[in-house]
Amino acid sequence: MKQKVIIVGGVAGGASAAARLRRVDEQAEIIMVERGPYISFANCGLPYYIGGTIEERSALLVQTPEDMNARFRVDVRVENEVLSIDREKKTVQIRDIKEDRVYEESYDKLVLSPGSTPLKPPIPGIDAPNIFSLWNIPDVDRIKGFVDGMKPKTAAVIGGGFIGLEMAENLHDLGMDVSVVEMADQVMAPVDFEMAQIVHKHMKTKNVNLLLGDGVKNFEYHNGKARVTLQSGNHIEVDMVILSIGVRPQSELAKNAGLEMNQRNGIVVNAHMKTSDENIYAIGDAIEVVDFISGDKTMVPLAGPANKQGRICADNIAGINSAYKGTQGTSVAKVFDLTVASTGVNEKTLKRNGKEYGKDYYTTIVHPNSHAGYYPGAIPMTLKLIFSTDGKVLGAQNVGYDGVEKRVDVIATAIRFGATVYDLTELELAYAPPYSSAKDPVNMAGYVGENILKGVTKPFQWHEIKDVGEDVVILDVREPIERDLGFITGSVNIPVDELRDRLSELDRNKKIVVYCAVGIRGHAASRILMQNGFEHVYNLMGGYATYATTLCLEDTALCGGISYDDEIHLSESGDIEDTREIHAHDAKVVKLNACGLQCPGPIMQVSKSIAEMDAGDILEVKATDPGFMSDIGVWCNKTGNTLIESGKEDKQFYAQIRKGTKKPAVKERVENPNDDKTMVVFSGDLDKAIASLIIANGAASMGKKVTMFYTFWGLNVLRRPEKVNVKKDFMSRMFSSMMPRGTQKLGLSKMNMFGMGPKMIRSVMKKHNVDSLEDLLKMAMDNGIKMVACNMSMDLMGITKEELIDGVELGGVATMLGAAEDSNMSMFI
């Protein structure tokens, strides 16, 4: 019997359904109705057309209506919109947009593939002419026209998902200064926090301004600029804005027809893609699917699943029994030089669903090379494996430069067939030095998982380090040169090769957490300890590489050595002009190839080479260890050498180093190492607060590093003016309520005159164009003056951190004394 099938919507799902249906049913009458002018386009390629990687717009058009009709005899009606469905009559009402007419069409089977649409929340100012969303060809034409015509220099991307980050990269490639605003504490929601931190760090090296944990409050358009005000009160001003906040299903047609919907307005379907009406099917972004791992109902707007659903839907219409077995959310994205891929469930979802680490699941983090280390171009990746306590593989995430998606694809396949970590160890994968290692990264992740399940290794996670007490010894088994580049605060250092001879230095009654660079030597050290009578030995998963990337960006006090921001500063300390100057003075240039070596290999080779060179000579280094980019800046700073330039070319990282710090033919500037300024602000009087900030801002304007340590009554200068609802005991609440809340409430030390004095002095200051206390305080923050609130005084005065203005750090006497040691002026006010 000849069937008449109407397909609503094209692109991935609808176009696949039409093509498959024709291949299995030559007699069917197939009508495709598409509201837009295009039925099938490469929506994933849109950002790369804007950025210029894809040069021709025509390359985005996968299938035209004419081609679709010629090959598959599909009646394609673009710029036609289905307005309603009459399920009893089995008809749809359609509006021809071009002809501005409405007509009716009957069907035997109806396929809904409406897709999704970008979220556009009712934020004030969101309709400004320089604010765009990217979802289809007309969107890309508008953005491309604006970029080519207006030549914007700055841009903000709102949302750190796949499209958002791809747009950030492509706008950056066009030469724009880009800011990314993300309400969550990380970008790339499918991966866990520690994996996203690798992406954060990489984006910062590209000078992308990341604003995490903050949402948009409003937009303001003025003179071609968009002022973006954030929920925190901060703001940025840019030439253009890209909205990439998320998507919602375009399911209104199904809802109005009375089809069964879920709470998220997703169309409910069965495994055969059939809706609650036996004659209507639905596929793509707008439908509810089953999570392959958990069996829960969810919605996953990905092109791959939509294509499969289109095929399954067509089979069932044609009488071929075919079922969709669920979505596991396998995805991959390019973020500048990095590749980020994931499959299955992530750890944060497990925790959100009440699962516990060690009770319900385990994780491993390994940092293997993309291929054999001795073959040129081998670059480490960070691979996280998630598996149940009975060994079943639940998910994986991988971040790196080469071979990343290949490993995730292998694990995605393993998950689909119900594999365990033991199966991963047994996989026989293709090996040759240019492509892999004899032990593939997938095998390595499996080996670590197997060791955990068999009790050979006791895992310790990066975030647990913050909560260790005095009954725990953190043992660093790296070489001293590695430790010089950064270490976990409070750890002790015994290199793994010396461990057997120094066991007596460790307390057998304490819990010992071992760490190395990536976990391999840590495992060896833990085995040495466990087989020598130490019972409570744990290995830090992912080693210092994971710990430092995750925690040193957030809290530098947890990491000895140098902070991430310092690393970036150091890596940019040189300039091209300096390089030309050196070559003009015939400095000797030594080349060093450290490719294939993992930390500390490249640094040790650099140290050895520099030792054999004369002062002023240049060392040009190439390496494949991504950590080398930050390590070399730290090493140069600590050893008195000069990093002229560093960066990445193809699959290698490079650095140019001058031995010593003296620049040839340039008079060396002698700096006083103790030239900082420290001020202890004890007083909460208005006049004294003004005086302290005038002095501090003056010192900062002369390039001095200034630390202001606020204690006791001085804390009132830093208090927020508004009342903050925080939980306090009775005494603290009473004490803090009697003190002035913020700068506007401060009195004078003399002539207070029942509150009239402060008003008079502010009036006089305004008359003589002297900045107010509030302006001076903001100026101090903008000048980089370090504001520290005494933690002990806060406790005594009943003041909490939430009651202080933004940008204030908490510290104690040690913080103040440390700053004073680097100062040649310390004042007590």
Coordinates of all heavy atoms in Angstrom, one line a residue, residues 28 40 114 130 195 246 289 372 421 434 441 492 509 528 560 572 576 602 608 626-627 639 685 737:
A28 N 6.6 5.2 -1.7 CA 6.0 6.2 -0.8 C 6.0 7.6 -1.3 O 7.0 8.0 -2.1 CB 6.8 6.2 0.6
S40 N 19.1 21.2 4.7 CA 20.2 20.5 5.3 C 21.5 21.3 5.2 O 21.9 21.6 4.1 CB 20.4 19.1 4.5 OG 21.3 18.4 5.2
P114 N 11.3 19.1 14.5 CA 11.3 20.5 14.5 C 12.6 21.1 15.1 O 12.8 22.3 14.9 CB 10.1 20.8 15.5 CG 10.1 19.6 16.4 CD 10.4 18.5 15.6
N130 N 23.7 44.7 18.0 CA 25.0 44.1 17.9 C 25.0 42.8 18.8 O 26.1 42.4 19.2 CB 26.1 45.0 18.3 CG 25.9 45.6 19.7 OD1 24.8 45.5 20.3 ND2 26.9 46.3 20.2
M195 N 38.7 18.5 34.6 CA 39.0 18.5 33.2 C 38.8 19.8 32.5 O 39.6 20.2 31.7 CB 38.2 17.4 32.6 CG 38.3 16.0 33.2 SD 40.0 15.3 33.1 CE 40.0 14.8 31.4
G246 N 22.1 28.3 25.6 CA 21.5 27.0 25.6 C 20.4 26.9 24.6 O 20.2 27.9 23.8
V289 N 14.7 11.2 25.3 CA 15.3 9.9 25.0 C 15.7 9.2 26.3 O 15.6 9.8 27.4 CB 16.6 10.1 24.1 CG1 16.3 10.7 22.8 CG2 17.6 11.1 24.9
A372 N 54.0 6.8 20.8 CA 55.2 6.4 21.4 C 56.1 7.6 21.7 O 56.3 8.5 20.8 CB 56.0 5.4 20.6
V421 N 36.4 -2.4 33.1 CA 37.8 -2.0 33.1 C 38.7 -3.2 32.7 O 39.8 -3.0 32.1 CB 38.2 -1.3 34.4 CG1 37.5 0.0 34.6 CG2 38.0 -2.3 35.6
P434 N 54.1 6.0 15.3 CA 53.5 7.3 15.0 C 52.1 7.5 15.5 O 51.5 8.6 15.4 CB 53.6 7.4 13.4 CG 54.5 6.3 13.0 CD 54.4 5.2 14.1
P441 N 46.7 4.4 25.6 CA 46.1 5.1 26.7 C 44.8 4.5 27.3 O 44.6 4.5 28.5 CB 45.8 6.5 26.1 CG 46.9 6.7 25.1 CD 47.1 5.3 24.5
V492 N 56.2 16.6 52.0 CA 57.6 16.3 52.2 C 58.1 15.6 51.0 O 57.4 15.0 50.3 CB 57.9 15.4 53.5 CG1 57.5 16.1 54.7 CG2 57.1 14.1 53.3
N509 N 52.5 5.0 61.4 CA 51.1 5.0 62.0 C 50.2 6.1 61.3 O 49.0 6.1 61.6 CB 51.2 5.4 63.4 CG 51.9 4.3 64.2 OD1 51.7 3.1 64.0 ND2 52.9 4.7 65.1
I528 N 56.1 0.3 46.9 CA 57.3 0.1 47.8 C 56.9 0.2 49.3 O 57.2 -0.6 50.1 CB 58.4 1.2 47.5 CG1 59.0 0.9 46.1 CG2 59.5 1.2 48.5 CD1 59.9 2.0 45.6
G560 N 52.8 25.3 46.7 CA 54.1 26.0 46.8 C 54.6 26.4 45.5 O 54.2 26.1 44.5
E572 N 55.4 35.7 29.3 CA 55.3 36.8 28.3 C 56.3 37.9 28.6 O 56.2 39.0 28.2 CB 53.8 37.4 28.4 CG 52.8 36.4 28.0 CD 51.4 36.9 28.3 OE1 51.3 38.0 29.0 OE2 50.4 36.3 27.8
I576 N 59.9 40.3 21.0 CA 60.6 40.0 19.8 C 61.7 41.0 19.6 O 62.8 40.7 19.1 CB 59.6 40.1 18.6 CG1 58.5 39.0 18.9 CG2 60.3 39.8 17.3 CD1 59.0 37.6 19.0
P602 N 62.3 17.7 30.0 CA 62.6 19.0 29.3 C 63.4 20.0 30.2 O 64.3 20.6 29.7 CB 61.3 19.5 28.9 CG 60.4 18.3 28.8 CD 60.8 17.4 29.9
K608 N 70.8 21.5 32.1 CA 72.1 21.0 31.7 C 72.7 21.8 30.5 O 73.9 22.1 30.6 CB 71.9 19.5 31.2 CG 73.2 18.8 30.8 CD 73.0 17.4 30.4 CE 74.3 16.7 29.9 NZ 74.1 15.3 29.5
P626 N 53.0 19.5 27.4 CA 52.3 20.8 27.6 C 52.7 21.6 28.8 O 52.6 22.8 28.8 CB 50.8 20.3 27.6 CG 50.8 19.0 26.9 CD 52.1 18.4 27.3
G627 N 53.1 20.9 29.9 CA 53.4 21.5 31.1 C 54.7 22.4 31.0 O 55.0 23.2 31.8
T639 N 65.9 30.6 38.5 CA 67.3 30.4 38.2 C 68.1 31.6 37.7 O 69.3 31.6 37.5 CB 67.5 29.3 37.2 OG1 66.8 29.6 36.0 CG2 67.0 27.9 37.8
D685 N 38.4 55.4 61.5 CA 38.0 56.8 61.4 C 38.1 57.2 59.9 O 39.0 56.8 59.2 CB 39.0 57.7 62.2 CG 38.8 57.4 63.7 OD1 37.7 57.1 64.1 OD2 39.8 57.5 64.4
S737 N 26.6 44.7 64.9 CA 25.5 45.7 64.7 C 25.8 47.0 65.3 O 25.2 48.0 64.9 CB 24.2 45.1 65.3 OG 24.3 45.0 66.7

